[in-house]
Amino acid sequence: MQNKTIREAFVEASSFLSERGVAEAPHVAELLLRHLLGLDRAAYLLRWHEAFPPEREAQWRQIVARKAAGEPAQYIIGEQEFYGLPFEVTPAVLIPRPETELLVEAVVREGRRLWPDGADASAAAPSVADIGTGSGAIAVTLAVQCPTWRVCASDISAAALEVAQRNAARNGAAARIAWANGDLLAPFAGERLDIVVSNPPYIPAGDIAGLQPEVRDYEPRTALDGGTDGLDPYRRMLAQLPLLAGAPRVMGFELGMGQAREVAAMMEAAGHWDTVYIVPDLAGIERHVIAVRT
């Protein structure tokens, strides 16, 4: 009996995943199949009609079954791209989302405006902290995009920090990032931070049970649970600002749907910044709040 082709393996998996309610099943099936075979998209399409390797059949069935059961494809593959960079992801960290790239863009824009390249040599580069770094996506991207910045990153999870450190090394930024294990701003007590950025847990605790199974059952709860109304981490970080040597000149947060205006009001009431503004994501959701002191 002739072995099935790579194309036939794709069609079978795509149909099976679609029947199990997996969103964008064809895209997911291709992603998983390319991962199994170690092929980029061009090579995958060139080998479309070649025989599927029979020695990989059992592994392929296992991978497809994991996806059908709800496991995120990124955890199966062990990787997610962010800002054009590859990041390892494991169940110890939240999977980086595309909307967070807009937070990075806003922080880079404000930082370069306040600390422009080629400025007076006496002007120090900013000290930047990514609070609750998870996979390290924000910290590593900032270190890559702005190599003169002094970047540090914290997380309450030691396992997450291990993933983040591997991602820093993978993207050539290990020597430019300092790491701290601790709760929010507490590890930086007494330090001067010019820029603070954070994508903290913001899901109201009572809403977690209703999340998509891929998120609820697989991503770390500590990276999701923001307390009763989802805003506990923001309140606590703002309350912790007196621990620092001074309030940062730039502070940027990512938030959940419907939370931005309340957090913006908190930041305005804190009185540390001249401007507080909201950045919508590509779907028009008010997703980020940026506070700046000029």
Side-chain angles (χ1 to χ4, degrees):
M1 180 178 175
Q2 186 177 9
N3 291 332
K4 65 185 175 187
T5 64
I6 290 174
R7 175 186 177 278
E8 288 168 338
F10 160 75
V11 170
E12 288 176 3
S14 177
S15 177
F16 177 76
L17 293 175
S18 181
E19 290 171 359
R20 296 304 187 279
V22 173
E24 299 181 337
H27 169 72
V28 172
E30 178 185 324
L31 199 65
L32 296 174
L33 187 52
R34 284 170 46 200
H35 166 68
L36 175 74
L37 300 176
L39 302 174
D40 62 24
R41 193 154 203 274
Y44 168 76
L45 294 175
L46 283 172
R47 296 179 60 181
W48 189 242
H49 296 291
E50 292 183 13
F52 179 86
E55 68 275 12
R56 295 293 187 92
E57 180 66 35
Q59 186 182 5
W60 178 231
R61 290 184 179 278
Q62 182 185 51
I63 286 174
V64 173
R66 287 170 65 186
K67 180 63 235 171
E71 186 173 352
Q74 293 91 336
Y75 288 155
I76 297 172
I77 293 170
E79 184 174 297
Q80 171 65 26
E81 184 178 285
F82 181 85
Y83 222 89
L85 301 173
F87 284 85
E88 173 191 346
V89 291
T90 76
V93 301
L94 196 72
I95 298 166
R97 265 63 170 185
E99 55 265 29
T100 307
E101 294 180 356
L102 300 175
L103 176 60
V104 171
E105 287 180 2
V107 169
V108 168
R109 180 176 63 250
E110 295 294 352
R112 286 176 173 166
R113 182 173 66 85
L114 294 173
W115 293 272
D117 292 337
D120 185 334
S122 65
S127 176
V128 186
D130 172 24
I131 308 301
T133 194
S135 67
I138 293 175
V140 172
T141 303
L142 291 175
V144 170
Q145 292 294 313
C146 304
T148 63
W149 291 10
R150 301 189 306 277
V151 179
C152 48
S154 69
D155 204 288
I156 199 168
S157 165
L161 284 175
E162 291 176 2
V163 175
Q165 289 169 336
R166 291 196 295 271
N167 281 323
R170 180 177 189 176
N171 288 290
R176 299 198 300 279
I177 305 176
W179 308 93
N181 184 199
D183 186 32
L184 301 177
L185 295 178
F188 305 106
E191 297 185 23
R192 178 181 64 84
L193 297 176
D194 298 303
I195 300 174
V196 169
V197 59
S198 183
N199 178 17
Y202 55 68
I203 306 297
D207 293 350
I208 291 178
L211 294 176
Q212 291 180 327
E214 282 196 357
V215 176
R216 180 193 65 219
D217 298 339
Y218 291 93
E219 299 200 61
R221 188 180 178 102
T222 54
L224 299 172
D225 190 341
T228 302
D229 63 357
L231 302 181
D232 282 0
Y234 308 98
R235 293 190 188 93
R236 292 178 57 224
M237 274 188 273
L238 291 173
Q240 287 177 331
L241 287 176
L243 295 174
L244 305 179
R249 291 184 68 186
V250 178
M251 197 158 190
F253 289 140
E254 180 164 319
L255 306 105
M257 186 182 298
Q259 296 176 330
R261 299 196 181 193
E262 188 168 350
V263 171
M266 291 181 200
M267 299 178 85
E268 288 170 349
H272 299 301
W273 302 282
D274 304 315
T275 304
V276 178
Y277 64 92
I278 294 170
V279 178
D281 64 19
L282 297 179
I285 297 169
E286 295 182 332
R287 181 65 66 183
H288 307 109
V289 175
I290 311 296
V292 183
R293 185 174 71 253
T294 55

